[in-house]
């Protein structure tokens, strides 16, 4: 079977750090083009824009959209209309409603639309889901704290409308939690802290309840210096299950169950290849809905200006 020929659109941090090496490490798919306004990659055909790629490279089967969320809907619509499979980086959109026409376009054209959640491919996630499937769930604490200056240098889009601010990493925690908990949950209260010079929050406190009433508290912070924390602690009837390092580690009552190097994107691309081969799509908007709910229900406070 011929490998799927894929083009990366937007050669920024995540494209270079994760997509390029993960494609190289995945059988059944090969990097054939880059669409970038500013950058090139040695040995890979370059286009300045996605439109040029779509017009001039009919052999490209799929595109991975690694651009900021504010510009991805138009790119995904153009790629699907041109008969290409589409991988969306997270979050899948700048609004929730923009996904419905994309899902419909994928169905009409018979192409794959994959709204990817990279954190769901972290090694501890499926073991945590299996562990929790038949346990009494008492409470959940999420602590997702990182330094925006370290992880998102120069990314002005992240504090623009649609950039999500601290929810850009925080939605990763929600993508894990919506995968591992046995029951749905919903927001009950939230407080979002907006720097006075920015359009997106720099910190957030969220309270949810699951459908049996178990409380879930999340603490997101974009100004964490020193140790960085990406942790979900689940209180079960038998003790605490802790998923840490963004999903690379899992322990129960202090005893390690999973302790691996973080590796998410090879599994993500293996899933994309499988979806394309099966003629299927995978679009779960639940984490984005929780974030939209936080912007809808959350109390807003104004905090000190943020400068890089
Ligand atoms: P980034 O470093 O700013 O890269 C985004 C790239 O998109 C830019 O380098 C640029 O590429 C292109 N771009 C920017 N503005 C554009 C515009 N207005 N129109 C068209 N293209 C534009 O951001 P990133 O960190 O890679 O994040 C991209 C997406 O990946 C985000 O949704 C983010 O949530 C997600 N993500 C990021 C990380 C991470 O750790 N950074 C992890 C997982 C997922 P060209 O100059 O090549 O055109």
């Amino acid at each position: 079977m011929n490998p799927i020929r894929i083009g990366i659109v937007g050669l920024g941090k995540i494209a270079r750090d994760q997509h390029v090496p993960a494609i190289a490490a995945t059988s059944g798919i090969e990097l054939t083009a880059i669409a970038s306004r500013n950058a090139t990659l040695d040995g890979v055909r370059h286009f300045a824009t996605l439109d040029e790629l779509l017009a001039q490279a009919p052999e490209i089967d799929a595109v991975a959209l690694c651009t900021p969320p504010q510009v991805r809907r138009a790119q995904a619509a153009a790629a699907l209309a041109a008969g290409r499979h589409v991988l969306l980086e997270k979050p899948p959109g700048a609004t929730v409603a923009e996904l419905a026409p994309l899902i419909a376009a994928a169905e009409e054209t018979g192409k794959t639309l994959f709204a990817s959640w990279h954190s769901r491919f972290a090694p501890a996630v499926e073991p945590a889901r299996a562990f929790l499937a038949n346990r009494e769930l008492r409470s959940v604490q999420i602590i997702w704290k990182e330094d925006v200056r370290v992880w998102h240098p120069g990314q002005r889009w992240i504090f623009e409308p649609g950039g999500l601010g601290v929810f850009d990493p925080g939605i990763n925690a929600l993508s894990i939690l919506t995968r591992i908990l046995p029951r749905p949950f919903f927001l009950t209260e939230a407080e979002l802290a907006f720097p006075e010079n920015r359009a997106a929050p720099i910190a957030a406190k969220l309270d949810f309840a699951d459908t049996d009433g178990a409380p879930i508290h999340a603490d997101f912070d974009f100004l964490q210096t020193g140790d960085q924390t990406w942790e979900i602690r689940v209180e079960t009837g038998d003790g605490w299950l802790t998923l840490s390092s963004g999903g690379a580690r899992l322990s129960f009552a202090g005893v390690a169950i999973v302790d691996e190097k973080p590796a998410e994107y090879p599994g993500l691309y293996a899933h994309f290849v499988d979806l394309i081969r099966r003629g299927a799509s995978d679009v779960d908007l639940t984490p984005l809905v929780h974030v939209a709910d936080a912007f809808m229900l959350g109390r807003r406070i104004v905090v000190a200006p943020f400068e890089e």
Side-chain angles (χ1 to χ4, degrees):
M1 199 176 280
N2 289 335
I4 296 154
R5 287 154 300 190
I6 189 165
I8 288 179
V9 183
L11 197 56
K13 185 171 190 319
I14 200 62
R16 288 182 186 278
D17 288 358
Q18 298 293 342
H19 289 258
V20 171
I23 292 167
T26 305
S27 59
I29 192 160
E30 64 185 26
L31 181 58
T32 312
I34 296 286
S36 166
R37 305 159 311 165
N38 303 297
T40 57
L41 200 61
D42 277 354
V44 182
R45 195 173 170 197
H46 174 263
F47 300 89
T49 66
L50 171 63
D51 287 344
E52 284 180 18
L53 181 157
L54 296 175
Q56 296 170 26
E59 72 279 9
I60 304 288
D61 305 300
V63 290
L65 302 183
C66 300
T67 45
Q70 296 97 329
V71 300
R72 253 191 263 124
R73 185 210 64 79
Q75 293 177 333
L80 288 167
R84 317 305 167 93
H85 308 287
V86 172
L87 184 157
L88 295 171
E89 249 301 349
K90 50 63 54 171
T95 69
V96 182
E98 70 192 47
L99 274 306
L102 297 180
I103 294 166
E107 279 171 9
E108 277 163 28
T109 57
K111 297 297 164 186
T112 291
L113 178 63
F114 178 26
S116 67
W117 298 108
H118 62 88
S119 292
R120 286 186 175 174
F121 294 88
V125 171
E126 290 310 310
R129 177 181 164 88
F131 189 94
L132 293 171
N134 299 308
R135 304 230 177 206
E136 180 198 349
L137 179 72
R138 292 191 176 162
S139 68
V140 180
Q141 297 169 1
I142 303 175
I143 306 163
W144 222 256
K145 297 185 174 189
E146 66 179 49
D147 188 343
V148 63
R149 293 182 174 94
V150 170
W151 299 101
H152 305 278
Q155 296 179 355
R156 288 195 64 81
W157 59 265
I158 218 162
F159 282 114
E160 294 294 325
L164 299 190
V166 76
F167 287 94
D168 178 78
I171 202 169
N172 298 334
L174 296 172
S175 76
I176 293 175
L177 201 66
T178 48
R179 179 70 191 156
I180 66 175
L181 289 196
R183 292 184 294 274
F185 57 91
F186 52 88
L187 192 72
T188 56
E189 205 175 329
E191 182 182 273
L192 314 186
F194 284 73
E196 68 177 33
N197 61 342
R198 303 285 172 160
I202 199 156
K205 293 183 189 305
L206 311 166
D207 285 295
F208 303 87
D210 85 349
T211 49
D212 276 7
I216 299 164
H217 180 75
D219 210 343
F220 297 164
D221 190 358
F222 234 168
L223 291 175
Q224 170 91 345
T225 53
D227 284 348
Q228 308 285 286
T229 310
W230 299 285
E231 189 166 293
I232 298 176
R233 304 183 70 219
V234 184
E235 185 188 7
T236 74
D238 306 312
W240 286 89
L241 184 75
T242 302
L243 183 147
S244 54
S245 303
R249 297 198 169 110
L250 188 68
S251 64
F252 181 65
V255 178
I257 301 174
V258 175
D259 188 357
E260 292 188 19
K261 281 193 173 159
E264 301 166 358
Y265 281 80
L268 185 152
Y269 270 100
H271 185 54
F272 189 41
V273 169
D274 181 56
L275 288 170
I276 292 171
R277 298 278 186 237
R278 289 191 287 114
S281 284
D282 179 355
V283 184
D284 176 12
L285 299 182
T286 320
L288 187 66
V289 168
H290 287 306
V291 172
D293 281 357
F295 278 81
M296 190 155 58
L297 187 69
R299 181 182 303 281
R300 294 172 183 229
I301 60 168
V302 177
V303 295
F306 172 74
E307 306 294 351
E308 267 212 70

